Amino acid sequence: MVLERRSEGGKKRLFLSLLIFSLILLSGCAANPTRTVPATPHNAEQVSLPSLLKARHIGLHLFDYKDTEIKGGHHEGLLQVRQPWNFGLSAEEKAVLYDNAGEVAALAFAAELKKQGMNVTVLSHLDDSGALPFDLLLTGKVAQIVLNTYGRGTREGLGSAGNYWEATLLYSDIQLRNLRAGRIVWDGNIERYAKLENSPATLDWTNLTLAVNSLRGAMLLSQMQMSSSLLTGASKGKDYIENFEAEYSISDYTVSPIEVAARHAAVLFLQQIGTGD
């Protein structure tokens, strides 16, 4: 009888521990310093064109993005935990956020240069058969894009990861060549970060969903531990994993931090050129 009471007490402690752990996961201490970073302005500041670029016709070979390394993921909870495969976004939802990221980074960079007043002709490919009809030629690569989304927790906001998204872009092997003089006038890499409020990836859970899943998960885990056979335990383990599979939705957005970071990277490039005048 005493052993039974102790066994029941152990189950209750396990049950409560799992429930508390689930709540801590969504309400712990913040781990990512970018949570407190202010949002990046959508529009980059207008700067004066460096003298090197004034009254010059520049050919811009659209930055190579075929081999761009794309990284990142979705995060939930105040601990900003990166979501594993069974909690994270579906392949279709990832495609909405990550597909064409390299092309966006290349096009937005070029668009901002034009907006800043550069006389730019964008080239989809380079023709080596003859002399190019430009004063300067700009080439480079979109080397890496890191895009992270931070959810707002449940629909009521419990356990929000900050409700924002961010992107860090690295452009490598940038080279500005003076075609008339036949020399390189600037080369280097440009890296830029941007953060926007309101993550488009949101968890379709309410506080009640969290409570139900946490309670059901605790019972399934207890049943798994008490299983008399490996087959039964494996079945309960599968049920436990499926119980916590998250349901997400992707809301519409007009601009992404990839585009914003690209525009600010273009301005940073102009400033770098200006320091070399």
PDB file of all heavy atoms in Angstrom, residues 49 74-75 183 237 262 267:
ATOM      1  N   LEU A  49      26.411  60.602 -53.878  1.00  0.00           N
ATOM      2  CA  LEU A  49      27.209  59.665 -54.671  1.00  0.00           C
ATOM      3  C   LEU A  49      28.685  60.025 -54.568  1.00  0.00           C
ATOM      4  O   LEU A  49      29.055  61.203 -54.637  1.00  0.00           O
ATOM      5  CB  LEU A  49      26.793  59.713 -56.141  1.00  0.00           C
ATOM      6  CG  LEU A  49      25.522  58.972 -56.555  1.00  0.00           C
ATOM      7  CD1 LEU A  49      25.315  59.089 -58.054  1.00  0.00           C
ATOM      8  CD2 LEU A  49      25.589  57.511 -56.140  1.00  0.00           C
ATOM      9  N   HIS A  74      12.842  28.901 -37.544  1.00  0.00           N
ATOM     10  CA  HIS A  74      11.779  29.524 -36.747  1.00  0.00           C
ATOM     11  C   HIS A  74      12.034  29.262 -35.269  1.00  0.00           C
ATOM     12  O   HIS A  74      12.513  28.196 -34.883  1.00  0.00           O
ATOM     13  CB  HIS A  74      10.416  28.971 -37.146  1.00  0.00           C
ATOM     14  CG  HIS A  74       9.280  29.641 -36.434  1.00  0.00           C
ATOM     15  ND1 HIS A  74       8.937  30.963 -36.670  1.00  0.00           N
ATOM     16  CD2 HIS A  74       8.425  29.192 -35.479  1.00  0.00           C
ATOM     17  CE1 HIS A  74       7.920  31.281 -35.894  1.00  0.00           C
ATOM     18  NE2 HIS A  74       7.591  30.238 -35.158  1.00  0.00           N
ATOM     19  N   HIS A  75      11.693  30.254 -34.432  1.00  0.00           N
ATOM     20  CA  HIS A  75      11.947  30.182 -32.996  1.00  0.00           C
ATOM     21  C   HIS A  75      10.658  30.479 -32.233  1.00  0.00           C
ATOM     22  O   HIS A  75       9.855  31.315 -32.657  1.00  0.00           O
ATOM     23  CB  HIS A  75      13.026  31.192 -32.581  1.00  0.00           C
ATOM     24  CG  HIS A  75      14.319  31.014 -33.329  1.00  0.00           C
ATOM     25  ND1 HIS A  75      14.458  31.368 -34.663  1.00  0.00           N
ATOM     26  CD2 HIS A  75      15.518  30.533 -32.922  1.00  0.00           C
ATOM     27  CE1 HIS A  75      15.701  31.093 -35.052  1.00  0.00           C
ATOM     28  NE2 HIS A  75      16.350  30.595 -34.022  1.00  0.00           N
ATOM     29  N   ARG A 183      41.655  48.849 -64.479  1.00  0.00           N
ATOM     30  CA  ARG A 183      42.144  48.539 -63.135  1.00  0.00           C
ATOM     31  C   ARG A 183      40.976  48.428 -62.159  1.00  0.00           C
ATOM     32  O   ARG A 183      39.890  48.973 -62.382  1.00  0.00           O
ATOM     33  CB  ARG A 183      43.121  49.610 -62.652  1.00  0.00           C
ATOM     34  CG  ARG A 183      42.516  50.990 -62.500  1.00  0.00           C
ATOM     35  CD  ARG A 183      43.571  52.034 -62.134  1.00  0.00           C
ATOM     36  NE  ARG A 183      42.979  53.353 -61.958  1.00  0.00           N
ATOM     37  CZ  ARG A 183      42.480  53.809 -60.813  1.00  0.00           C
ATOM     38  NH1 ARG A 183      42.517  53.027 -59.732  1.00  0.00           N
ATOM     39  NH2 ARG A 183      41.974  55.017 -60.730  1.00  0.00           N
ATOM     40  N   GLY A 237       5.508   6.522 -28.039  1.00  0.00           N
ATOM     41  CA  GLY A 237       6.489   7.557 -28.357  1.00  0.00           C
ATOM     42  C   GLY A 237       6.096   8.330 -29.606  1.00  0.00           C
ATOM     43  O   GLY A 237       6.234   9.549 -29.667  1.00  0.00           O
ATOM     44  N   ALA A 262      19.274  44.299 -47.919  1.00  0.00           N
ATOM     45  CA  ALA A 262      19.938  44.505 -49.207  1.00  0.00           C
ATOM     46  C   ALA A 262      20.027  45.984 -49.553  1.00  0.00           C
ATOM     47  O   ALA A 262      21.060  46.463 -50.053  1.00  0.00           O
ATOM     48  CB  ALA A 262      19.190  43.744 -50.297  1.00  0.00           C
ATOM     49  N   VAL A 267      23.705  50.998 -49.657  1.00  0.00           N
ATOM     50  CA  VAL A 267      24.142  52.295 -49.132  1.00  0.00           C
ATOM     51  C   VAL A 267      25.499  52.163 -48.448  1.00  0.00           C
ATOM     52  O   VAL A 267      26.376  53.019 -48.604  1.00  0.00           O
ATOM     53  CB  VAL A 267      23.090  52.862 -48.158  1.00  0.00           C
ATOM     54  CG1 VAL A 267      23.637  54.081 -47.412  1.00  0.00           C
ATOM     55  CG2 VAL A 267      21.829  53.236 -48.915  1.00  0.00           C
TER      56      VAL A 267
END
